[in-house]
């Protein structure tokens, strides 16, 4: 038995067997961790509200040799994100951020970058009234962190530089970058027509050093391909995103 203490976001807690809960934690030190919380279905005594999704905790758990399932012993709540949990919309976006990081975070590997990134966006979400705007920045800035940085400096097919491209260009989900008007074939069903201004703005969004002024028309247009691009790379659409679309989509 090895004892661990980890700064964690509770991602999901579901009933396990008759009395326990199976808890997925996104931790800073050990990446994604799955642990059993004994008797958590029956009694609130030991874990209180510390197993609620979207709670920042310090988690104490033990790992047996040759098992990937931990045994949760104690959780100390560091930030319950109470303000965030008061709003259905913020909860929905917070769950989306969690699910996305849960998809890309590895098990048993130190993930301080992804963890800190998630924490900063959840803290911003709690204060902000512009959930959609935050979501687009979250998606854009996540891309380079997980190796999905799209090619925007030149056409992915003929390498013609971005500045030399004329008129509308397209963003291809499957090719992972921009395609010039001449190279655009009808066979690529995953491409979306976009303007150069939108691509330039998208490029600025990905860099945390630049904070472009918020442009709603640009962000709306980016919203038509950016989440899809992430889902294309992940190989699936996230349930929390489908839920946001259903509840708040236009
Ligand atoms: Zn081209």
């Amino acid at each position: 038995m090895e004892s661990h203490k980890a700064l964690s976001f509770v991602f999901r807690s579901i009933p396990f067997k008759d009395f326990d809960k199976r808890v997925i934690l996104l931790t800073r030190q050990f990446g994604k961790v799955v642990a059993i919380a004994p008797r958590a279905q029956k009694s609130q005594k030991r874990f209180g509200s510390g197993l609620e999704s979207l709670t920042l905790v310090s988690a104490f758990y033990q790992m047996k040799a040759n098992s990937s399932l931990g045994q949760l012993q104690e959780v100390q709540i560091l930030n319950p994100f109470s303000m965030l949990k008061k709003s259905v919309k913020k909860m929905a976006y917070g769950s989306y951020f969690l699910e996305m990081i849960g998809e890309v975070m590895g098990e048993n590997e130190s993930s301080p970058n992804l963890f800190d990134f998630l924490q900063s966006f959840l803290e911003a979400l709690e204060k902000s009234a512009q959930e959609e705007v935050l979501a687009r920045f979250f998606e854009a800035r996540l891309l380079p962190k997980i190796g999905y940085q799209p090619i925007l400096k030149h056409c992915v097919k003929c390498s013609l530089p971005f500045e030399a491209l004329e008129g509308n260009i397209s963003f291809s989900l499957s090719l992972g970058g921009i395609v010039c008007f001449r190279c655009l074939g009808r066979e690529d069903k995953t491409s979306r027509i976009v303007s150069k201004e939108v691509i330039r703005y998208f490029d600025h969004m990905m860099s945390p050093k630049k904070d472009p002024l918020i442009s709603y028309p640009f962000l709306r247009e980016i919203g038509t391909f950016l989440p899809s691009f992430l889902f294309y790379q992940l190989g699936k659409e996230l349930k929390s995103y489908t839920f946001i679309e259903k509840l708040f989509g236009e």
Side-chain angles (χ1 to χ4, degrees), residues 216-233:
Y216 295 102
F218 286 177
L219 285 164
R220 209 167 299 129
E221 208 173 324
I222 286 165
T224 65
F225 66 86
L226 176 53
S228 315
F229 178 55
L230 266 162
F231 302 147
Y232 189 90
Q233 298 296 331

Side-chain angles (χ1 to χ4, degrees), residues 155 158 180 183:
C155 168
C158 71
C180 77
C183 293

Side-chain angles (χ1 to χ4, degrees), residues 97-109:
F97 294 174
L98 269 184
E99 191 180 359
M100 184 69 84
I101 298 298
E103 273 305 314
V104 299
M105 191 182 255
E107 280 183 36
N108 293 316
E109 56 182 53

Side-chain angles (χ1 to χ4, degrees), residues 155 157-161 164-170 179-187:
C155 168
K157 283 194 166 170
C158 71
S159 300
L160 200 63
L165 303 180
E166 281 175 23
N168 276 343
I169 46 185
S170 72
V179 181
C180 77
F181 196 68
R182 278 186 312 169
C183 293
L184 180 62
R186 264 189 226 155
E187 69 277 14

